[in-house]
Amino acid sequence: MADIDTFVQAEADALVAELSEWCAIPSVSSDPEHAADVRRSAEHLAGLMEAAGLDTDILSSDGGQPAVYAEWLGAGAEAPTITIYGHHDVQPADPLEAWTTPPFEPTVRDGCLHARGASDDKGQVHFQVAAIRHLLAADGRLPVNVKFFVEGEEESGSPTIDAFLGEHGDRLACDLVCVSDTGMVAEDVPSLVTAMRGLIYLQVDLRTAPADLHSGSFGGVAPNAVAELVALLAGLKDDAGRIAIDGWYDDVVPLTDEERANFAALPFDPEQLKAVTGVGDLPGEAGFSPLERMSGRPTADINGIWGGFTGVGSKTIIPAEAHAKVSFRLVADQDPARLEPLFERWVRERAPDHVEVSVSSFGGVKPSMTPLDHPGNRAAARAVARAFGKEPLFYREGGSGPERALSDALGAACVYIGVMLPEDRIHAPNERLLLANYYRGVRAAAYAFEEFAKPEVATALRDPAG
Ligand SMILES: [Zn+2]
């Protein structure tokens, strides 16, 4: 394979200049005022991809923001097809006054490119495109077939991704999805995400009377809606910190010994986490470390609770209604469609007969997980080891994204090659991309194509059932 190290060294400044031009486009998908910028960002990326030797198309569905599709399919039918996923939209940049240099005037400082989107996610899409450009220029071919799906609305929660995958899923068909939108736990700890958590978000509405009642006249006999709701939700977890809903853990895939060894090897200081968050303790499910609980285990949270009198001064009422927002992070293979009814049943069973209660859902996201010993994960880990000069660790991401939707629609597992760092301040003022990590990303991408093409990996990816 063409020497990727020489390329990165020779082109280091040119690559950053090219990325900077793209980062100067304020593609804020959540702000309608930037709709033209999101389109301009898509067109700009398509131009970079065309120049690299990819065929491109700008696609959308259901009135969604423009996504960039690209392909190079010259590796032949025996080679696996990899679909690279990322996004070209960015978070809003405010508060602008908190930026040292303006968010859309990319600036190199202290070995980092400072710009909104530098790390999340333009830099991470760009290192893939840069690797491909070099390989196609030097070798005239890639070791694998490659497609791109670069979303334009990820920072808005991917509202049309299901419609998009329904309409364009056939074009994105692949043997492996390579997500280029995650990070590493530290600069000197190369690491690969293997899972994302799912989510369900619900509201509980509880009523005890048609209207609030006078606490002097009826106190002592009338049920209190706020007290009923608090008592009900107080039972959400048992004394061991486990969610106390029957059947909640039935589909949870246990952490493997190898995974737990990886978690244990990650640098983690509970005292530092306490200092960063300002919390006094890290309570949670017994038998699992804080890192395991933060990404590898299910969680339940009461996000908000309201009812009764909360105004200035006093009002002696017995509230007639109370409400709560409750959300759960899920892990593989928990299914929102199975768990939402379990929660509703739990609420109804615990609510006394004199209470009227209803549960409504704001929708769910399925969890995604690729086992450590999946051939794609092993190949990606070899590529990262070559680029970073150190064996990577595997870890999980605690948040939720569209990865499972991609996996389900394309019938392929996800692997995650990402170089973002916790210090990169994504979604915050002064977002940055550590250039040393970006360059390692270019190399990791090139090595990954080579690793995915190795005959034993290619065979396993193309025919997962064996
Ligand atoms: Zn992102």
Side-chain angles (χ1 to χ4, degrees), residues 104-429:
F104 299 109
E105 291 175 24
T107 309
V108 175
R109 190 167 67 240
D110 306 327
C112 296
L113 178 65
H114 290 256
R116 170 58 86 230
S119 184
D120 183 19
D121 184 38
K122 285 172 174 166
Q124 306 217 74
V125 171
H126 193 265
F127 74 60
Q128 299 274 5
V129 177
I132 288 170
R133 185 177 81 195
H134 168 64
L135 294 177
L136 285 176
D139 300 343
R141 67 184 306 279
L142 301 174
V144 292
N145 301 303
V146 169
K147 299 177 180 181
F148 275 90
F149 169 36
V150 185
E151 239 196 304
E153 53 184 32
E154 195 270 350
E155 300 293 8
S156 304
S158 307
T160 66
I161 195 167
D162 289 334
F164 187 96
L165 291 171
E167 190 175 340
H168 305 295
D170 287 351
R171 286 182 84 179
L172 295 169
C174 61
D175 302 303
L176 187 72
V177 177
C178 180
V179 176
S180 217
D181 186 25
T182 53
M184 303 200 153
V185 297
E187 190 192 347
D188 59 349
V189 186
S191 32
L192 278 82
V193 169
T194 60
M196 306 279 292
R197 284 200 286 202
L199 178 70
I200 52 180
Y201 204 113
L202 303 136
Q203 179 165 327
V204 182
D205 299 295
L206 186 150
R207 178 173 286 282
T208 48
D212 294 347
L213 294 166
H214 188 295
S215 73
S217 308
F218 303 101
V221 294
N224 181 312
V226 173
E228 298 282 4
L229 183 60
V230 168
L232 194 155
L233 292 177
L236 198 50
K237 291 182 190 169
D238 66 18
D239 291 343
R242 276 173 68 91
I243 297 160
I245 300 174
D246 258 359
W248 202 259
Y249 292 84
D250 285 1
D251 298 322
V252 171
V253 179
L255 296 170
T256 63
D257 290 345
E258 185 186 4
E259 226 179 339
R260 299 196 79 173
N262 272 263
F263 271 120
L266 291 166
F268 176 75
D269 176 1
E271 293 309 316
Q272 196 196 344
L273 183 62
K274 283 192 214 170
V276 166
T277 54
V279 302
D281 196 8
L282 306 172
E285 188 182 4
F288 295 91
S289 71
L291 274 183
E292 289 171 340
R293 286 188 259 125
M294 284 161 73
S295 60
R297 295 296 294 170
T299 65
D301 282 292
I302 299 169
N303 305 103
I305 184 162
W306 69 103
F309 178 69
T310 56
V312 179
S314 62
K315 187 182 177 197
T316 48
I317 55 150
I318 298 170
E321 57 183 280
H323 313 269
K325 307 262 189 193
V326 181
S327 69
F328 299 85
R329 295 282 174 176
L330 315 180
V331 299
D333 273 331
Q334 290 183 298
D335 183 354
R338 199 182 84 82
L339 296 184
E340 283 182 6
L342 285 189
F343 176 72
E344 183 169 358
R345 193 181 70 191
W346 178 82
V347 167
R348 289 190 185 288
E349 281 176 4
R350 285 178 60 86
D353 287 345
H354 59 265
V355 159
E356 205 177 280
V357 69
S358 67
V359 175
S360 49
S361 166
F362 295 97
V365 177
K366 284 184 181 178
S368 168
M369 198 258 293
T370 307
L372 268 53
D373 59 3
H374 185 281
N377 266 339
R378 297 295 190 212
R382 286 194 296 274
V384 168
R386 288 168 65 186
F388 283 74
K390 200 171 176 182
E391 284 299 322
L393 291 167
F394 290 108
Y395 75 111
R396 290 177 177 221
E397 171 66 50
S400 309
E403 285 71 19
R404 177 64 179 274
L406 278 172
S407 266
D408 285 352
L410 309 185
C414 287
V415 299
Y416 301 75
I417 297 180
V419 302
M420 235 181 251
L421 294 173
E423 302 80 25
D424 284 352
R425 294 184 288 270
I426 64 166
H427 297 208

